[in-house]
Amino acid sequence: MCGIVGVLGNHEVAPILVEALKRLEYRGYDSAGIATVQDGRLDRRRAVGKLVNLSDLLVHDPLPGKSGIGHTRWATHGGPTVANAHPHRTGRVAVVHNGIIENYKDIRALLKDTAFESETDTETVAGLCEAHLARGLTPREAAVETVKALEGAFALAFLFEGEEDLIVAARRGSPLAIGHGDGEMYVGSDALALGPMTNRITYLEEGDHAFVTRDGVEIFDAEGRRANREMREVAGTAAVADKGGHRHFMAKEIFEQPTVLAECLAHYAPGSAVEISGGKIDFVRTDRLLLVACGTAYYACLVAKYWFEQLAGLPCDVDIASEFRYREPPVSDRTAALFVSQSGETADTLAALRYARDKASTILSVVNVETSSIARESDLALPIMAGVEIGVASTKAFVCQLAALANLAILAARQKGRITAAREADLVAELRRIPALVNQALALEDRIRQHTGDLARAQTVLFLGRGAMFPLALEGALKLKEISYIHAEGYAAGELKHGPIALVDKSVPVVVLAPRDALFDKTVSNMQEVMAREGRIWLVTDPAGARTASDGVWQTLTMPEIDPLFAPILYAIPAQLIAYHTAVHKGTDVDQPRNLAKSVTVE
Ligand code: AGP
């Protein structure tokens, strides 16, 4: 996905745009650019790679102007080159875009006289708008006619030659916020980007377009009617996201986990029982729960399946969002659907929600960004209280997703009469222990760091787990591969002998995530099978497990004791630290790994 920003300011906007783009860089960092209008003249600067390259360019080749738009790109159509960098422009219009224009080839075919310089879909938008200007439409009219012709998902901001007090904004499928300043106005992909300028935000709704001037904003709905959209004060965006003394945002966010986890747990169970407000959830009438997400959030759903089924006896289907609606799952009015998403903007998850919306009895979501599209389109959005997560690799959001899901599963168990109040109090109390246990697990960082050098040299790494630790093995593998670029796979430990064990030799580290639970002895057998083939085991277990199964293993990491039911929350910490320090050993870009973006708002 990409980040877009626009400013109608009273001061030079170039530095303001760059500052806003810094806060959007987590959305994509293949290239960046800005455009401004100065004395009626439209101009732009663009650079490939990180935002710092654009900043450097602007030092040597400044761009004056008090009206401007900016963009940071995650490449969809066309590689990361200057020619493909936004803003795209023609003679009189510049455009920045987040999303995908699906009919851009058809539009290009209509614009035979336009010499396109890029491979992008976005340049087609500028070309079409220019064509409308050429036939005499005003900038507002030209932008509106252009948007009408587009198919696909987009958030767009248009800037026009000769128009120093106008930005036209439009959204369909990708979020877009309007910021209200004092004599200034702003446009941004999210409130975080606008945090240094304002916390007064109006979110455009699906299909809206808006004419933004320094006096304010006129918003029109998908049918072209004037629309009133709520302006709200969005908290927590003004604080400049910094690393808090850590080397990377990811490290900062790993070490924030005890605090944010405690806040999340206290939010859902301030006393000895789960309290979920904000909407009626009726698990009594629910005979099936669909859990749908992508990536790390999907693995959180896989863990939660064990909790909903074991505690509440509630059958669960867990789907990868990009697969969900295409398998056409039967959804009855006794089926509830739950969508998990840190950003709340993941296109596949949002599309899955919209598929289920008029079929399922209830649309629930577990999100970190409470003003996101997924949150706003849910019957009830459950916040995870993790705070802004900048590192592309999700860490604190994952454990807070698990915490929220665990509380929801306990609520389901109570409503279905499967647990007593005393049992609920015990479960809540065990969850409340976890932040302190996370602190103890974080204290193992040096132990972990000492051995990740070996992992950094591996060509492939396996992660094994059983029961609810199997999804954690999947998550551990994802963490490692997405930031260290080392191939890693997570497997159910019992599945190893059905093929993957062919991968095992002395060059293959195998990370086993296994508290001493009812399945532990079976996992030990799998470990023996690995060691019989010279595989190197890194056993992550508790003291009882370490006492009984450390013989012959390469490394043992002893975790604090925890009820195995909730072990996936705690054991996420070593999985994160193993990935983090392996990546640091390799010198990869931990916070902005190649090819990735923090939230994928394109399908
Ligand atoms: C996780 O480390 C990855 N960055 C990625 O898999 C992520 O979890 C996935 O894209 C889903 O994002 P969301 O939670 O914002 O929907």
Side-chain angles (χ1 to χ4, degrees), residues 438-594:
V438 167
N439 256 330
Q440 292 178 41
L442 290 170
L444 297 169
E445 181 184 33
D446 285 343
R447 283 273 285 112
I448 291 170
R449 186 186 3 233
Q450 286 164 16
H451 302 291
T452 44
D454 283 327
L455 288 192
R457 287 185 285 276
Q459 294 303 305
T460 194
V461 178
L462 299 180
F463 286 75
L464 304 182
R466 278 182 182 262
M469 300 300 279
F470 163 41
L472 192 69
L474 297 172
E475 165 61 8
L478 174 63
K479 285 280 98 52
L480 184 65
K481 61 187 140 184
E482 71 174 324
I483 64 172
S484 73
Y485 315 150
I486 295 171
H487 174 253
E489 291 199 56
Y491 270 100
E495 188 61 9
L496 201 63
K497 55 187 173 294
H498 299 286
I501 199 165
L503 293 171
V504 172
D505 63 26
K506 60 178 179 293
S507 71
V508 177
V510 180
V511 179
V512 179
L513 302 163
R516 183 160 176 65
D517 58 13
L519 301 172
F520 186 75
D521 292 343
K522 294 183 184 302
T523 302
V524 171
S525 301
N526 302 135
M527 289 164 52
Q528 297 299 339
E529 292 154 10
V530 167
M531 290 188 281
R533 291 153 181 87
E534 298 186 282
R536 291 184 297 152
I537 296 275
W538 191 341
L539 176 58
V540 183
T541 185
D542 52 25
R547 280 192 299 273
T548 57
S550 291
D551 291 348
V553 303
W554 169 46
Q555 291 298 328
T556 299
L557 193 66
T558 305
M559 296 287 286
E561 293 278 3
I562 185 172
D563 182 330
L565 183 68
F566 297 133
I569 305 176
L570 179 60
Y571 282 55
I573 307 314
Q576 294 163 359
L577 290 172
I578 286 170
Y580 174 74
H581 284 292
T582 302
V584 169
H585 270 293
K586 285 203 67 179
T588 55
D589 191 333
V590 170
D591 284 331
Q592 298 176 350
R594 68 185 183 192

Side-chain angles (χ1 to χ4, degrees), residues 57-360:
L57 174 63
L58 288 165
V59 169
H60 302 100
D61 189 6
L63 189 59
K66 295 183 176 129
S67 310
I69 57 178
H71 185 272
T72 181
R73 182 173 184 241
W74 183 70
T76 53
H77 295 75
T81 63
V82 171
N84 289 334
H86 302 211
H88 286 288
R89 65 160 298 183
T90 58
R92 288 174 289 178
V93 59
V95 179
V96 288
H97 167 222
N98 174 32
I100 287 184
I101 306 300
E102 292 174 354
N103 62 332
Y104 81 100
K105 288 182 178 172
D106 298 339
I107 296 172
R108 279 201 175 208
L110 295 175
L111 301 172
K112 292 184 173 47
D113 300 336
T114 303
F116 290 101
E117 65 164 14
S118 80
E119 308 158 77
T120 68
D121 52 345
T122 309
E123 192 183 7
T124 307
V125 176
L128 182 58
C129 193
E130 181 70 37
H132 285 308
L133 289 170
R135 64 189 186 90
L137 296 191
T138 67
R140 286 175 168 82
E141 293 164 343
V144 170
E145 287 308 305
T146 299
V147 169
K148 282 178 184 172
L150 304 180
E151 294 170 11
F154 51 80
L156 293 164
F158 297 80
L159 190 68
F160 292 90
E161 180 104 339
E163 293 283 349
E164 298 196 32
D165 192 22
L166 175 67
I167 289 175
V168 180
R171 79 153 279 180
R172 190 189 306 165
S174 294
L176 200 52
I178 306 293
H180 302 260
D182 298 325
E184 298 189 334
M185 288 293 285
Y186 319 101
V187 175
S189 295
D190 58 32
L192 182 65
L194 306 181
M197 287 92 79
T198 183
N199 66 348
R200 288 175 286 151
I201 302 294
T202 299
Y203 283 95
L204 296 187
E205 298 291 340
E206 198 59 8
D208 284 358
H209 67 270
F211 302 140
V212 184
T213 67
R214 287 180 180 78
D215 292 337
V217 60
E218 295 174 280
I219 298 174
F220 302 84
D221 65 17
E223 285 67 44
R225 298 176 301 234
R226 278 300 299 270
N228 290 316
R229 302 295 183 219
E230 177 199 0
M231 181 178 78
R232 65 187 77 185
E233 293 207 351
V234 179
T237 55
V240 176
D242 63 39
K243 295 173 187 157
H246 291 277
R247 187 171 167 187
H248 299 103
F249 280 112
M250 183 177 175
K252 173 191 173 193
E253 288 150 9
I254 287 172
F255 279 84
E256 285 177 336
Q257 290 179 115
T259 304
V260 296
L261 193 53
E263 286 168 11
C264 181
L265 291 167
H267 176 81
Y268 287 105
S272 59
V274 173
E275 298 173 21
I276 292 183
S277 59
K280 185 161 175 46
I281 304 177
D282 180 2
F283 282 111
V284 177
R285 285 196 69 256
T286 301
D287 59 18
R288 186 159 144 264
L289 179 64
L290 302 174
L291 297 106
V292 184
C294 299
T296 289
Y298 167 66
Y299 301 140
C301 293
L302 287 175
V303 172
K305 172 184 171 77
Y306 289 87
W307 293 335
F308 280 106
E309 292 186 343
Q310 289 173 10
L311 292 176
L314 177 56
C316 293
D317 289 326
V318 183
D319 277 274
I320 291 171
S322 54
E323 292 292 319
F324 173 70
R325 65 192 189 284
Y326 300 116
R327 74 174 179 86
E328 298 176 5
V331 182
S332 82
D333 61 3
R334 295 178 64 86
T335 301
L338 170 60
F339 301 87
V340 180
S341 174
Q342 188 283 133
S343 64
E345 299 298 348
T346 298
D348 289 320
T349 310
L350 183 56
L353 183 155
R354 291 170 175 166
Y355 172 88
R357 186 160 46 195
D358 55 4
K359 300 178 180 69

Side-chain angles (χ1 to χ4, degrees), residues 339 353 363-367 373-381:
F339 301 87
L353 183 155
I363 299 293
L364 301 170
S365 60
V366 169
V367 296
S373 302
I374 287 172
R376 287 186 282 129
E377 295 191 26
S378 302
D379 296 322
L380 177 62

